[in-house]
Amino acid sequence: MAEVLMKGIDVSTHQGKIDWGKVKKSGHADFAIIRVGFRGYGQTGTIKLDKQFVNNAKGATEQLIPLGAYFYSTAINEAEAIEEARFCIEQLEPYRDNIKLPVVYDFEGYGNTNYRTYGITKEQRTKNYKAFTETLNSAGYEGLIYGSRAYIRSKFDVDNLDELMWLAAYPINPNITNPPSLGKYDSRVAMWQYSSSGSVPGINGRVDMNAMYINLIKSDKPSNPYNTPTRTLYMGNPNMTEEDVRWLQWELVDDKYEIGIDGNFDKTTNALLRDYQYNHGLDVDGKCGPATRSNMINS
């Protein structure tokens, strides 16, 4: 059984004007993920702000409900994905202190012949996601992969992405301590959107319900001065940089481990990383991947 750390909701203009005071009192929203905007599915692909974004961002922030965000993308190339990420960064800036969860790339319409995204390859979707997320990373935000089991497995090259996952699946009687399996990706499932027809005081009509299993809430600890890695770090990985390793070593020092910050992933770094994973209930594999990185950022 999986431990449910928090329960939350995700909303957009489809929920209309929300009474966030009632939502807070209901106890159903330890966190909320709000839609920033979307790109149209027609050929022009115009970016638009969600009509309730400002109300939702202000209302949830006033009630001290930690926020994440998502953007409904129809990007057909990396340049458009970067444009979408920059749009999100600009819109989220006034609420930055309360954006404690990731900013999610919601890419759909791949099977609809009327959508501009119809026929885009798995390779291109993956490139778009990476461009979106890396742009967000540069501004200090985390990314998150969203979709159904079939979508995650078939529409992205998940093995070449490091981010955690937000799984969407709606069984008739969900047991949120037993999320659907993603096989070898189970350790990367941070949240499960288990219902699209929930009911919460303060919201008219149906709302998506979510359970969180990996803590995605950013802490208020001092900022790591090194850029957050976008790849999995482990001893012998030829693709990681000294900056990546310094980020990891700084996080270990912040957790009271005695280690020099020299950018060298040596045996000491490997041993202390494994000790950190053991002490924080993580898989002890000596790899600083999505789950370990998220734990370091948020603890």
Side-chain angles (χ1 to χ4, degrees), residues 121-297:
T121 65
K122 181 177 183 177
E123 179 183 22
Q124 186 63 58
R125 279 191 294 269
T126 303
K127 287 181 178 179
N128 292 354
Y129 176 83
K130 293 183 74 171
F132 181 90
T133 302
E134 288 172 3
T135 303
L136 288 168
N137 290 161
S138 69
Y141 296 104
E142 288 287 301
L144 196 67
I145 301 171
Y146 170 80
S148 66
R149 282 182 290 182
Y151 177 69
I152 289 173
R153 287 169 169 165
S154 65
K155 303 304 178 183
F156 287 110
D157 184 3
V158 182
D159 290 330
N160 285 322
L161 297 173
D162 282 335
E163 284 74 24
L164 296 169
M165 299 179 184
W166 179 13
L167 178 62
Y170 315 131
I172 296 175
N173 295 304
N175 174 1
I176 61 174
T177 65
N178 187 26
S181 177
L182 269 175
K184 66 178 181 178
Y185 305 121
D186 278 353
S187 64
R188 291 171 62 181
V189 176
M191 291 200 308
W192 175 22
Q193 186 185 74
Y194 61 87
S195 174
S196 61
S197 56
S199 178
V200 173
I203 299 177
N204 294 321
R206 301 184 303 175
V207 62
D208 295 338
M209 308 297 290
N210 300 274
M212 183 187 296
Y213 308 99
I214 296 174
N215 187 5
L216 298 174
I217 306 290
K218 288 183 180 179
S219 70
D220 294 323
K221 72 176 185 178
S223 298
N224 190 321
Y226 303 101
N227 291 325
T228 305
T230 59
R231 55 184 65 83
T232 296
L233 312 182
Y234 56 90
M235 191 163 64
N237 181 359
N239 296 317
M240 63 188 180
T241 66
E242 288 188 2
E243 177 91 353
D244 293 336
V245 180
R246 287 193 179 97
W247 179 92
L248 168 61
Q249 291 171 331
W250 187 94
E251 292 292 338
L252 291 171
V253 169
D254 184 66
D255 208 61
K256 311 305 180 186
Y257 286 92
E258 295 184 5
I259 184 174
I261 303 177
D262 59 7
N264 178 26
F265 200 124
D266 55 14
K267 292 181 179 179
T268 299
T269 303
N270 180 60
L272 294 182
L273 172 58
R274 288 175 178 272
D275 188 71
Y276 176 94
Q277 290 174 323
Y278 176 80
N279 288 330
H280 288 265
L282 300 163
D283 290 341
V284 183
D285 57 7
K287 295 182 178 181
C288 183
T292 298
R293 185 172 64 230
S294 177
N295 190 277
M296 289 179 163
I297 291 171

